[in-house]
Amino acid sequence: MGLTNDPNYKKLEQWYKSNAGGLNMRQMFDADKDRFSKFSVTLETNDGDVLLDYSKNLINEEVMKMLFDMARSIGVEAARDQMFVGEKINFTEGRAVLHIALRNRSNTPIMVEGKDVMPEVNRVLKKMKDFCHRVRSGEWKGFSGKAITDVVNIGIGGSDLGPLMVTEALKPYSKGGPNVWFVSNIDGTHMAKTLAQLNPETTLFIIASKEVILQHDPAEKGVVFGQDVCHTFTTQETITNAESAKEWFLQTANDPSAVAKHFVALSTNAPKVKDFGIDTENMFEFWDWVGGRYSLWSAIGLSIALHIGFDNFEQLLAGAHWMDKHFCSAPLEQNAPVLLALLGIWYVNFFQAETHALLPYDQYMHRFAAYFQQGDMESNGKYISKSGTRVNYHTGPIVWGEPGTNGQHAFYQLIHQGTRMIPADFLIPAQSQHPIRDNLHHKILMANFLAQTEALMKGKTTDEARKELEAAGMSGDALEKLLPHKVFQGNKPSNSIIFKKLSPFMLGALVAMYEHKIFVQGVMWNINSYDQWGVELGKQLAKKIEPELQDDSEVHSHDSSTNGLISFFKKNRA
C-alpha cells in the first residue's frame, strides 16, 4: 500500500489543506511557554547527552499525533523488527540488511537463513584489530624494512565516503596512527596528486571494492539474486586506480613479491585478490547483507581503525549500537530517528519541500553532508514502489549542506529570504576539541548556531524593520524603498541537535540516527532503500563508449548530442 492510500495520510492531508496556512511558529511559541519541552527529546547516551529540539517546526500536538498514527498504520515498527531479525527486506536483490550486526556489541545472535552471523562478524573484527596493532606499532614493515607512515584507501562511493567522513571527523583521536589518504575519482588527477606526496617504502594501500555483480536466475522468473554470484574486486574506477598505484609502487620496489607488503584488500574475491599480488591472508571479508553506503562499520572501515586505533573504532561501533537499541526500544513519540523521519515526510509530502539541508557547526564534520547525500539520495531516490508500480508522491529529498558558519556567508540568504522552503538540521557539540582563547571561538560559533535557528523561526516583521531603520537615522522615501528588503518572513523550519562532544561514540550514534531516519522514510514511501539500480545504466553505457574513444574515427552510434560531444573530444585531445 502506498503512502497516499493510508487513511491516516488522508486525514492529515485534509488537516493540512484546512489548517497548515495558519501555522505560525512565532505565535505558537508566544502562546505556549512549554513548547520546547513538548517538542524536544534528550537522549542519555553512554558518552554524554544528545538534545534533539524539534520545536522550531511547523507542527502542533495534533499534527504530531497524526504523523505517529500514520507511521503505526503504515507499519514502521513491524518493518523495523523485520530488519533487525535478518529478513530479506532488500527484496530486489534477495538480501537481508544487517549493518546493525556489524556493530552489535551486545553480541546477541542475529540469524540469516538459520545461521548466526555474529561469529563471522567477530572473526573479521579480530582480524582487523590484529592488523591495526601490527601497522600502528611498527611491527608491519614495508619491503625496505621501514614502518608504515601513510595509508591510502582506494575505493569509491560507500567504500570511500564513509571512511573519509569519519577519519576527518575524528582527527583529534588519530595520535599514533598513520596519515590517511583517499583516492576515489577515476580522474587521474586524484591519484597523481596523492602519490606525489608519498614515499613508496612507507605507504600501505587498501583496495576497497565492495561492488557486487548480480546475475539473473532464469528459474526465478527474472528475480535478481546475489548470494552465489558475488564478484567483488570489480569496480572499474577502483581497480584502475589500484593498478596505477601498483605501477607507481613497482617503479621503486622493482619486485612483484613486494606488493604483498604494501597492498591489502577489502573483498571476498580471493582469486582476483591473489592475481593482483595481495596475500589472501590480508584480505578482509564482508557480506552481501552489508550495503556499500552502510559499510563503514565493516572491513570497509579498516582505514578508520588504522587512523584512530582499534579501541576508538570499537567506540564508534558502540555509539551506533547504542542508537540501534534506542531505535528498537523507544516509543515512536520519543524515538529520535522516527521523529526526524516523520518531520521530513511532513515537509516533502505535504509542503512539497524539495531539499533538506544538513548544517553541522563543527569543522571536523565538513564531510557529513556529503556522506549523507549518498546515504539518503542513493537509498530513497526511487520512484518504483514495492508493488512494482510508480508512486504518486515525492520520495527522497535532495540532501545538501556545508559547515557553519561558512554556509551563513554562502547560501543562508536563500534559506532566509528565498522562495523555497528548505527544512534544515543544525548540529553542534557543546564542547569544542580546541577551546582556544578561553573558548572564545566556540562561544561565537554557538551564538551563531542559536541565532540562525531563532532568525529562521521568528523572522523580522515590517514594524520591527521600520523601527530598526529609524533608529539608524533613516526616514521618508529612502526608508520606504529599503524597508521591504529588510523584512524576513520567518516561519522557516529547523531541527537543533546539540551533543556533548564529537567523540568516536557520539559520531557513531549520530550516523546511526540518520541511517534509521532514512530507513523509516523508505518504509513510509513503500520503496526499497537498499538497492541502487539507478547507478547501473550510466556504467553500462560508459563500457560501450570507452572503446569508441580509442581512435579518431567518427562515431555515429548515438544520438546527435553524444556523437557531437565525442567528436569535439577527439578533435581537442592531445
Side-chain angles (χ1 to χ4, degrees), residues 549-570:
L549 305 180
Q550 299 304 336
D551 57 36
D552 291 330
S553 61
E554 281 195 29
V555 170
H556 303 286
S557 54
H558 303 274
D559 59 90
S560 62
S561 168
T562 307
N563 292 338
L565 291 165
I566 292 170
S567 176
F568 183 88
F569 167 69
K570 289 187 174 188

Side-chain angles (χ1 to χ4, degrees), residues 310-429:
F310 199 78
D311 288 350
N312 282 323
F313 184 71
E314 287 190 313
Q315 280 298 299
L316 180 77
L317 301 181
H321 182 55
W322 187 95
M323 187 59 70
D324 294 341
K325 289 195 291 186
H326 165 77
F327 178 53
C328 274
S329 61
L332 301 191
E333 290 79 4
Q334 298 293 315
N335 196 308
V338 172
L339 288 164
L340 292 173
L342 294 178
L343 291 165
I345 297 283
W346 180 226
Y347 295 122
V348 168
N349 295 110
F350 295 88
F351 289 86
Q352 305 303 309
E354 294 172 334
T355 81
H356 185 85
L358 286 176
L359 308 171
Y361 276 61
D362 187 305
Q363 189 57 31
Y364 281 123
M365 294 176 77
H366 70 105
R367 295 295 296 168
F368 195 76
Y371 175 69
F372 277 109
Q373 275 183 332
Q374 186 198 19
D376 202 315
M377 293 165 75
E378 198 171 77
S379 292
N380 288 341
K382 316 281 167 65
Y383 68 86
I384 299 297
S385 71
K386 287 182 179 177
S387 59
T389 56
R390 190 185 178 104
V391 298
N392 63 348
Y393 43 84
H394 282 305
T395 56
I398 297 159
V399 174
W400 60 287
E402 285 288 329
T405 57
N406 294 19
Q408 292 174 204
H409 298 268
F411 53 78
Y412 280 34
Q413 168 62 39
L414 189 144
I415 303 179
H416 281 287
Q417 286 186 312
T419 57
R420 300 169 193 275
M421 173 190 275
I422 300 176
D425 290 358
F426 287 74
L427 303 97
I428 196 169

